Amino acid sequence: MPLTHSLFTGLSGMNGSSRMLDVTGNNIANVNTTAFKRSRLQFETQIQDTLKNATSPNASRGGSNPAQIGLGVRIGAITRDFNSGALQPTGVATDMAIQNNGFFVVDIDGQQLYTRAGNFTLDEQFNLVNSSGARVQGFPVDNDFQVVEGQLNNINIPIGILTIAQATDNVRFSGNFNAGGDIASQGSLTFSEPLFSDAAGTTPITGATPLNSLFTAAGGTPIFADSDIVTITEARKGGVLIGDKSFEVTTALDPAADDNGTTVQDFLDFLEDIMGIDTTQPGGALSITPAGEIRIDANYGTGNAIDLQLSNLVVGDGTATPVSPLSFTTDNINNPPIGESIQTTFVVYDSLGTPLTVNLNVVYENSDNGGTTWRFFAESEDDTSLDRRVGSGLLQFDNDGRFIAANNATISIDRDLTGAGTPLQVELDFSSTNSFFNDGISSLSSISQDGIAIGTLQDFNLSTDGTIEGIFSNGLLRTLGRVPLAMFSNNEGLEELGGSLFRASNNSGTANIVTAGTAGSGQIMGRQLETSNVELTEEFVNIIAASTGFSANSRVITTSNQLLDELLSIIR
């Protein structure tokens, strides 16, 4: 009967007010939930009971409107307000907040989900995760720390584990070269008594002479036996101590090694390498006289002076510390090098961050009407080959002592079998040096270089575009990845799963993964969290409205019940 309509109408109103209270209560309960988005309940009328349809006007009478009675209220929609909440600084490196539109992408059990809550942490494997263990997804970097967009991986930030170094590419020098000094000249060192002899003492000694055919004198004792080790110890160049080096006398030359040989020339080549004598540059040469005397011609300049005596050559069989010195009585150094020479030492780093020491010797080679010319020699004990020479070139200065140019200014240091990139090539920059005519002392020093020793990841920062920049203990900054944002055509179409997670639905559209700050997405703020966008004042008003609506609708039911009671009392 029509009287019962009001009962169900009132009931729908009470149910609607109850649902409104549910939504409002949920909003209030999440007032402190990170990045929570408030919901709003929207009502619409129930289907109508049409008592009379509308009629159109005609020639004899006017039209009439429909007569309809509503049958109550129903929930039309529960919409979510995706406006940003206020940002709260936390100081925690793993905390992130989105300002304006977008969602973080996370992966849980292989399912791609989305969230606005950026209260992330690092797990045991250094993956960035949310409170549920869902792994935050982002763009990785390649071996050169360049972001690779288009593919999503777990964001991994190995604090205290990841190490990095930077190989040296450039070294810059500053100094003043005394153009008033002496122009460099050659020096030589000769062992004046025959070092070698054949068995009869009559055959001239040449570079091709086998080492095992040499004797201390005619009819004397053989100097070398197969597998003997000749050790050069305590030798110096330009006053700098050269590390001990050994040469193996062998009848089976290993072409891949430069510390063994079968002939006199092999031994001379060995001396050339360990003493850093550059035979392609002025002065440098090694030779042997027919009588068996070794002659070493040093490169120009006092910095290239060689201090090598017979007592520095020790022969043994390789099974124990060499104990048998070559027994000669006279060591002579003839014609020591002269001329203005500047020495300095600097450190470079290979790709693994290993420090390598380089000795640099610059000598005064020439002066003419165009200016002065200086030659540099670079050597390194850390070169993995036996040859300590790593570079040589010319420096040109004009009439005013200003630097003009350098040729062959790139040195090359072998790093074979070290695990580092090889060779390490370093450009020497002499543009801050000068050459003046004065009575002062020449000086040279490295003032900057771009290599860095190994360092460990200590912290990281987040750019507004989501780029994670690692901070290493050696001062290097390197990109570790990028946190992107997911964009949807219809945010309100997302399905909420709990745990501050959403998933795409048929009405949200598919996720468009973009870099923060592009394609209409917001920015990512590091070390901050987004707060809930619940406005308590508005929610309290909604509570009052829901309570009032519930009470009013209960009165409708009460009144309808009274009318039914009156109707039933008629037949009593």
Side-chain angles (χ1 to χ4, degrees):
M1 61 179 292
L3 188 58
T4 60
H5 285 179
S6 60
L7 286 172
F8 292 102
T9 300
L11 178 61
S12 70
M14 292 178 68
N15 286 336
S17 295
S18 177
R19 291 300 185 189
M20 181 178 181
L21 191 60
D22 290 340
V23 172
T24 302
N26 184 63
N27 289 341
I28 294 175
N30 286 281
V31 68
N32 293 314
T33 300
T34 301
F36 177 78
K37 301 305 174 189
R38 64 181 291 271
S39 296
R40 183 178 61 178
L41 184 64
Q42 297 176 347
F43 294 112
E44 63 184 18
T45 59
Q46 283 273 28
I47 57 174
Q48 303 292 320
D49 185 6
T50 302
L51 302 179
K52 184 182 70 171
N53 292 322
T55 61
S56 58
N58 55 35
S60 60
R61 67 174 65 185
S64 62
N65 294 323
Q68 295 177 301
I69 298 176
L71 298 181
V73 67
R74 66 183 180 189
I75 297 174
I78 300 176
T79 59
R80 192 173 286 108
D81 179 6
F82 277 100
N83 286 322
S84 298
L87 300 186
Q88 178 182 4
T90 65
V92 179
T94 53
D95 283 345
M96 304 178 190
I98 302 173
Q99 191 174 47
N100 298 321
N101 199 11
F103 295 83
F104 297 115
V105 183
V106 298
D107 179 274
I108 185 167
D109 297 328
Q111 184 180 15
Q112 188 169 291
L113 303 175
Y114 312 95
T115 184
R116 292 277 301 189
N119 49 330
F120 303 132
T121 58
L122 294 177
D123 67 8
E124 184 267 341
Q125 297 178 337
F126 302 102
N127 291 315
L128 194 65
V129 298
N130 73 354
S131 57
S132 302
R135 294 185 177 95
V136 180
Q137 301 296 287
F139 299 140
V141 293
D142 59 20
N143 293 334
D144 295 323
F145 297 96
Q146 299 297 313
V147 175
V148 180
E149 297 190 3
Q151 63 181 48
L152 290 177
N153 281 349
N154 299 333
I155 292 292
N156 189 268
I157 309 175
I159 299 288
I161 300 296
L162 181 63
T163 57
I164 190 176
Q166 178 173 301
T168 303
D169 291 321
N170 298 276
V171 179
R172 186 181 180 190
F173 294 90
S174 177
N176 291 303
F177 303 152
N178 180 14
D182 294 329
I183 293 178
S185 67
Q186 178 184 15
S188 64
L189 179 152
T190 303
F191 297 122
S192 59
E193 292 194 19
L195 180 61
F196 302 132
S197 173
D198 69 326
T202 59
T203 304
I205 307 299
T206 68
T209 302
L211 288 169
N212 60 6
S213 67
L214 299 175
F215 294 80
T216 56
T221 305
I223 296 178
F224 300 116
D226 194 36
S227 299
D228 267 354
I229 304 296
V230 181
T231 300
I232 308 297
T233 179
E234 300 296 322
R236 293 178 180 272
K237 182 177 183 180
V240 178
L241 185 67
I242 296 175
D244 291 357
K245 299 292 189 298
S246 296
F247 176 88
E248 181 181 359
V249 178
T250 177
T251 56
L253 176 66
D254 180 2
D258 51 8
D259 59 354
N260 70 99
T262 65
T263 66
V264 170
Q265 187 59 52
D266 292 333
F267 184 67
L268 294 181
D269 292 342
F270 165 76
L271 290 177
E272 177 185 317
D273 287 342
I274 68 169
M275 302 308 299
I277 299 171
D278 193 339
T279 59
T280 66
Q281 303 298 337
L286 285 95
S287 59
I288 188 166
T289 68
E293 295 176 339
I294 290 179
R295 177 185 175 92
I296 300 176
D297 295 318
N299 292 111
Y300 289 176
T302 56
N304 285 316
I306 293 174
D307 183 2
L308 174 64
Q309 303 180 34
L310 287 178
S311 59
N312 299 129
L313 280 69
V314 181
V315 179
D317 62 5
T319 61
T321 303
V323 294
S324 303
L326 294 171
S327 53
F328 292 91
T329 58
T330 305
D331 298 329
N332 292 330
I333 298 179
N334 309 111
N335 304 318
I338 63 172
E340 192 72 17
S341 182
I342 312 102
Q343 289 180 286
T344 189
T345 300
F346 61 96
V347 174
V348 296
Y349 298 92
D350 65 15
S351 61
L352 296 180
T354 304
L356 314 174
T357 300
V358 179
N359 297 316
L360 186 66
N361 179 29
V362 183
V363 298
Y364 189 11
E365 182 166 293
N366 184 45
S367 63
D368 54 30
N369 292 335
T372 60
T373 301
W374 297 71
R375 184 177 295 276
F376 74 85
F377 300 86
E379 302 177 1
S380 177
E381 281 285 328
D382 294 313
D383 188 287
T384 52
S385 69
L386 192 65
D387 189 355
R388 60 186 286 115
R389 296 166 295 185
V390 296
S392 178
L394 292 177
L395 309 179
Q396 300 287 340
F397 298 87
D398 65 14
N399 296 120
D400 295 320
R402 292 174 300 196
F403 176 80
I404 300 175
N407 75 326
N408 298 326
T410 300
I411 64 174
S412 181
I413 304 175
D414 289 332
R415 301 299 295 152
D416 293 331
L417 304 180
T418 65
T422 187
L424 172 66
Q425 294 188 316
V426 180
E427 183 75 16
L428 306 185
D429 181 0
F430 295 95
S431 59
S432 296
T433 59
N434 302 284
S435 176
F436 291 110
F437 186 86
N438 56 49
D439 295 327
I441 299 175
S442 297
S443 64
L444 180 67
S445 62
S446 63
I447 56 175
S448 66
Q449 58 99 358
D450 53 7
I452 299 179
I454 192 169
T456 303
L457 181 62
Q458 291 185 320
D459 200 359
F460 65 93
N461 287 323
L462 188 72
S463 302
T464 56
D465 67 352
T467 299
I468 300 172
E469 188 174 55
I471 303 171
F472 291 81
S473 58
N474 56 8
L476 282 180
L477 302 177
R478 288 292 183 269
T479 299
L480 304 180
R482 180 176 294 159
V483 180
L485 295 180
M487 297 289 291
F488 293 91
S489 301
N490 175 27
N491 289 342
E492 293 180 3
L494 293 170
E495 180 182 351
E496 186 173 8
L497 302 179
S500 299
L501 296 173
F502 298 88
R503 69 180 172 195
S505 73
N506 292 334
N507 197 41
S508 65
T510 57
N512 180 26
I513 309 301
V514 301
T515 297
T518 66
S521 64
Q523 295 180 324
I524 299 179
M525 313 304 291
R527 301 177 189 264
Q528 300 184 61
L529 288 177
E530 182 186 4
T531 61
S532 169
N533 67 354
V534 172
E535 176 53 58
L536 284 178
T537 302
E538 184 176 347
E539 300 304 327
F540 289 155
V541 171
N542 289 339
I543 289 177
I544 294 172
S547 175
T548 301
F550 191 91
S551 297
N553 280 284
S554 68
R555 293 298 180 88
V556 171
I557 293 175
T558 300
T559 302
S560 297
N561 183 56
Q562 289 174 350
L563 293 177
L564 286 172
D565 285 343
E566 289 294 328
L567 179 63
L568 291 173
S569 67
I570 294 176
I571 61 174
R572 290 185 182 134

